[in-house]
Amino acid sequence: MALVLNEEQRLLAETAREFLQKQAPVSALRALRDSRDPLGYDATLWQQMAELGWASVILPEDFGGLDFGFSGLGVVLQESGRTLTASPLFATAVVGASALLLGGSTDQKAEYLPQVAAGEVTLALALEESAHHRPQHIGTRLETVGDGFALNGEKVFVLDGHSADTLLVVARSSGEPAARDGLSVVMVPRDTAGVAIERTVMADSRNAANIRFTDVAISSAQVIGNVGEAGSWLEDVLDRGRIAMAAEMLGSVEEVFARTVAWLKERVQFGVPIGSFQALQHRAARLQTELELAQSVVLQALATVDEQPRQLALMASLAKANLNELAKLATNEAVQMHGGIGVTDELEIGFFLKRARTAMQIFGDTGFHKDRYATLCGY
Amino acid sequence: MEDLDQFREETRQWLEANCPASQRLPNTPEEQYWGGRRGSFASEDARVWFERMRDRGWTAPEWPEAYGGGGLTPQQGRVLKEEMKRIKARTPLYSLGLWMLGPALLEYGSEEQKQQHLRAIVNGEFRWCQGYSEPAAGSDLASLQTRAEDQGDHFLVNGSKIWTTGADRSDWIFCLVRTNPHVKKQEGISFLLIDMASPGVSTTPIELISGESEFCQTFFDNVRVPKSNLVGELNHGWSVAKALLVHERKLMAEIGGDSPRQEIAPVEAARRYLEFSAGRIADNQLRSDLADYEMRMHAIGLTHMRSFEERAAGIKGSVGLAMKYLGTEAVKDKNELLLAIMGTRALGWEAPGFTTEELDTTRLWAMSKAMTIAGGTSEVQLNVIANHVLQLPQAPKAATES
C-alpha cells in the first residue's frame, strides 16, 4: 500500500505541518531575505528540526537515525515545500547523508552519520560545473600528489555551499570529461586552504554558492569510498535527491494551488467571485487533475527508494520531470489568476514562483529527465 | 494477505485449466459475446468459456452470490482481473447490464427488480442498452424531454433517445424519462426499465466518422411500461442516473485494456515505423512526444493504483473524479501519436495496401474522438471537478451539472 500514507507517516506529516507552519512559514524566508542573513537559514530552527529527528529520517538506527525511509522523509519534505522553509534538510539530510550512506566506508559512516543525525554537521554536494545539470561532465580534477591528492576546479550552484561545514566535491580521477567512470567524491572542510567560496544570491532567496578549489590538499581518508569508483553509487544519490526534491515541489504546488483556489472564491469582479467563471474553473480543474497524477507519482517514487531499487532511475526521472512541469504550470497559473496582486512582492505567491524555477533546475530539468526516461525505456 | 496469495494461486490454476486456448487470443468485434435473445457465440470455445465463468459467478465477480455473482471482495476481484489479463483471457460476456445497470440496481432497485434482472444479467439472458441522451439533451442531460405519463396501472412513454449503444440488438433499455414537467428540471426525472419488444419501440443506427454504427437513435411512440419497472422513487431518477454515471466514467477511465481491435502500442509502433540511430529514435520531436505520452500513462497507471488503494483503505478521495478526464484525453493523445509515428500507414481506410493493424489504427483514431464526449464531455468533467472537488461557486447563467 505504497500509495496511501500509513499511520506513522500521517503522524509525522501532522507534526511537520504544525511545526513548520508555526516556526518557519513563508514570512520567515522573507525575513531571511530582507535581512540578508549570512547563514540563509535559522540555525536554531535547524537544531529543533534535528531534535524532531528530521536530519536522520532516512538513517538506520545504528547511526542514531529514525529509519523511516524515504516514504517517511517525503512527508517532511512535502511540508517544508508548503512553507518554503530554508534549511539544510535537502543538502544535508537527503543528499549528503545518502552519499555517505551509499558511498562511504564503514569507518566514514560510523564517524559522520551520527553527527549528521544529531544536526551537528551540515553538508553540501559540489557537483555542477555549468548552467545545466550534467552529472558526468566533470572537469574538476583529483590528482595524486605524494601519498595524497590535489583538488583543482570550479563548481557552481552548490546548494548550501556558502554555509555547509563540509563540502562533498565530485571530481575526476581519470578519464575524459564526459566519462561515467573515474569519478571520486571527496570531503572537504569549508575552511581548508585553497577553497574560495562565493555566495550567490539567487531568485528563490535560498542558499547556493560558486566554489573554486586551487591545489587543495586531500588525504585518502577524505575520499568517500574508493578513488575513481564514485560512479557506481553517485547516480543513486542523485536519484534520491531528485525524488526528494519532487516531494518538496509537490508540497509547494499543493500550497500555491490551495492559495489560488482560495483567491478564486474570494476575489469579486463583475459582482461575482471570479471562481464562478468557467474560463478560470477549467484551468483550476485541469491543475487539480495534474495534481492527482503528481501525488501518485511522488508517493510511488518515494516507496521505490525503500522497496524497489531496480526501478529507481526510471521513477526518479518520472517524478522530477512530472513535478518540474507541474511546478512551472501551477506557479504561472497562480500568478495569472491572482491578477495584479500576483506580481507584487507583498503577496507570497512570488516566492513560490521563484522557488519553483530553482527547484526545476536542481538535479535535472524536464528535458534532461525526459531524455533519460526515453533512454531507459530503450527508445 | 496470505489468503489473497492463496486465492491468486487457485484462480491462476483454475483459469489455466478452464480458459480454452482460443479464448486467450485477441478477439474481433464480431467475436465479442454480448448475450441477449439475439446473441450468439462465435465458436464452441466461446460458449464453453462463457458458461464456465458464468457458473462460477465470475461474469459478475464482485456481485453477491444470491444474485448469481461471485461474491468476491474488491481485492479478490482485482486479483481475478490481473490473472485474466496475465493469460490474455477474453472477457466472457460484454454487457452494459453488468457494468452499468447492475451496480445501480444493487443500490436502488427493489428486491423484486433485483430478483428479476440481476441473475438474467449475470447469465447474459438479456442485452441492455442505455437511454440517457436525447437530440436536444447532451451535456445538459437534465433537460431531457422524453415523457412518461401516469396512466394508472402503467406509464405511457413518448420521445426519443440518442447514442443508445447497440439498441438495435438489445432486449431492454434503462431510460431517464420526464415524469414531472412542472418542477426544477432535475426533480422531475424518473429511472425506467423498458422492454424493447414492447409495441411502439423502434431503432435507427447512426453511422460515425469511424465508419461504425454501434450507436442508434431509439424512438418511443405511445409505449406502455408497467409501473413495477420504475427504479427508485418517482421523480428521483436523477440520483440513480448520477450513481450510474460514476460507473460509466470509471469504465471509460479504465477502457483500452480490452479492445477488440488490434491496438498497437506506441513504443512498438515506433520500433516498426521510425528510424533509430544509436538506440534512439532519430526524430527528436517524435521521441519527445513519445516520452511525454509514456510518462503520462505511467503516472495515470500509478493514479489508478492509488485510487484502488484509497478505496481499499476506506479513504474517500477526490482522485476518482479526475480519472475519466485524464484517461479519455490520454486515449485521444495516444491515437494522435500513433498517426504521427506511423505516418500514411495509419491513414488507410480499406484493404488492400494496408495490414489489418494499420487499418485498425485509422479506425481507432476516429473512434477515439468520441471518448471525451461520451459519458460526459471533458468540459463537463472539469465543471464537476471545479464545483465538487475545488468547491468553486457555480458559474453564472451557464447551468452546470450538479
Side-chain angles (χ1 to χ4, degrees), chain B residues 131-134 144-161 172-180 190-196 198-202 218-230 234:
Chain B
Y132 272 25
S133 297
E134 297 179 4
L144 58 92
Q145 293 300 327
T146 295
R147 40 184 216 288
E149 289 161 282
D150 192 334
Q151 302 282 318
D153 63 336
H154 67 272
F155 292 109
L156 194 65
V157 179
N158 279 287
S160 93
K161 292 289 176 182
W172 282 77
I173 183 167
F174 50 93
C175 273
L176 290 179
V177 293
R178 183 149 309 283
T179 37
N180 185 349
S190 298
F191 193 96
L192 205 54
L193 309 178
I194 303 177
D195 187 338
M196 303 271 292
S198 314
V201 180
S202 62
T218 299
F219 301 90
F220 302 91
D221 182 15
N222 286 324
V223 178
R224 292 166 67 106
V225 179
K227 282 202 158 164
S228 58
N229 288 9
L230 176 73
L234 188 70

Side-chain angles (χ1 to χ4, degrees), chain A residues 323-335:
Chain A
L323 267 297
N324 280 349
E325 285 306 283
L326 180 55
K328 182 169 139 189
L329 178 68
T331 51
N332 280 342
E333 288 288 70
V335 172

Side-chain angles (χ1 to χ4, degrees), chain A residues 150-169:
Chain A
L151 180 69
N152 279 286
E154 250 177 280
K155 295 289 183 180
V156 298
F157 195 44
V158 180
L159 303 175
D160 285 9
H162 74 296
S163 63
D165 301 317
T166 301
L167 307 167
L168 309 184
V169 187

Side-chain angles (χ1 to χ4, degrees), chain B residues 314-369:
Chain B
I315 299 169
K316 252 190 125 155
S318 53
V319 56
L321 279 175
M323 296 317 287
K324 199 268 179 185
Y325 172 77
L326 290 168
T328 55
E329 290 290 337
V331 171
K332 276 205 312 197
D333 290 347
K334 175 175 76 180
N335 284 281
E336 289 295 347
L337 179 62
L338 283 171
L339 254 60
I341 289 173
M342 293 166 68
T344 56
R345 303 302 305 169
L347 291 176
W349 198 249
E350 287 169 358
F354 298 96
T355 65
T356 309
E357 203 172 47
E358 287 169 344
L359 292 170
D360 279 357
T361 304
T362 319
R363 301 291 176 128
L364 282 165
W365 163 78
M367 284 163 71
S368 73
K369 299 303 175 198

